[in-house]
Amino acid sequence: WGDDCALATIDADKLDAYVQERRGETSDETISREVRHLVFLLRLAKRSRSYAGDLSTLRPPDLHGSYVPRTRVLRPGELEALLAACGPELGALVRVCTALGCRRSEALKLTREDVAGSLAKIRGTKTAGSAREVPVLSVFRALLEQALPLLPIKAVSTNVNRELYWACRRAKVDHCSFND
């Protein structure tokens, strides 16, 4: 809306026009997040008496976030095929994410010193509970030990998700993400 847009001018009509414009550019899930953040900002402005508008009328009724959490998991045979199709660093990243159930960004921060006995220290920052210690389950111990010599894992490429996509294709397994 520009640098000179005053908060007081944001109303349902202005937000509806914004949503219509954004629908040609991105998904409703992304737009829904943007609107949620804007309404939060306006709620703070209302609390400080800088916004007098009605917050309950801002969100367009036809805007629904369509995010559905993925439920894909790698089966044992798929994991073996995928690891065979990965290079050393990508394979180590897949092993760590699988063994510890951590995010890609958390796996990239893991060092050998973070793995002590039956616990691994996860240096997460995404949510309040991200920084934590997790147990290394015996069924995943060998998988993690195979990755230990490569810790910390250097960035595999500038687009590690694309690299994983192509490894899945080579392995002839359905596409998966590091969270799967």
Side-chain angles (χ1 to χ4, degrees), residues 20-35:
Q20 279 308 113
E21 180 181 331
R22 290 290 285 150
R23 277 195 166 135
E25 303 167 352
T26 190
S27 71
D28 269 14
E29 176 61 30
T30 298
I31 300 166
S32 183
R33 268 184 280 154
E34 292 170 353
V35 169

Side-chain angles (χ1 to χ4, degrees), residues 112-177:
R112 285 182 219 117
E113 294 77 30
D114 292 332
V115 180
S118 61
L119 291 175
K121 182 178 182 179
I122 305 297
R123 299 173 188 275
T125 57
K126 187 170 183 179
T127 64
S130 292
R132 63 206 184 276
E133 284 191 330
V134 297
V136 180
L137 301 177
S138 59
V139 68
F140 293 120
R141 186 71 196 178
L143 200 59
L144 184 59
E145 286 177 357
Q146 292 168 353
L148 282 177
L150 293 172
L151 296 182
I153 302 166
K154 303 292 180 238
V156 180
S157 73
T158 56
N159 192 336
V160 70
N161 291 329
R162 180 179 54 220
E163 197 167 322
L164 180 62
Y165 169 82
W166 285 109
C168 288
R169 296 277 305 256
R170 287 190 300 275
K172 295 181 175 45
V173 300
D174 290 340
H175 174 65
C176 64
S177 73

Side-chain angles (χ1 to χ4, degrees), residues 5-119:
C5 177
L7 289 178
T9 66
I10 299 174
D11 59 11
D13 291 337
K14 188 172 229 167
L15 204 53
D16 287 347
Y18 172 78
V19 168
Q20 279 308 113
E21 180 181 331
R22 290 290 285 150
R23 277 195 166 135
E25 303 167 352
T26 190
S27 71
D28 269 14
E29 176 61 30
T30 298
I31 300 166
S32 183
R33 268 184 280 154
E34 292 170 353
V35 169
R36 186 171 58 245
H37 289 288
L38 176 64
V39 170
F40 179 75
L41 173 73
L42 292 173
R43 183 177 302 121
L44 293 175
K46 191 169 191 77
R47 182 181 166 100
S48 69
R49 296 178 182 83
S50 302
Y51 181 73
D54 184 358
L55 296 173
S56 67
T57 64
L58 289 177
R59 186 173 186 81
D62 67 334
L63 180 63
H64 305 287
S66 59
Y67 175 72
V68 177
R70 292 172 51 108
T71 56
R72 168 119 168 77
V73 294
L74 286 171
R75 305 288 180 218
E78 290 180 317
L79 179 59
E80 292 165 7
L82 178 58
L83 289 172
C86 292
E89 291 84 10
L90 182 61
L93 192 54
V94 170
R95 284 177 173 92
V96 169
C97 289
T98 302
L100 300 179
C102 63
R103 297 176 180 99
R104 179 192 69 214
S105 61
E106 296 166 343
L108 288 170
K109 295 175 189 169
L110 194 71
T111 66
R112 285 182 219 117
E113 294 77 30
D114 292 332
V115 180
S118 61
L119 291 175

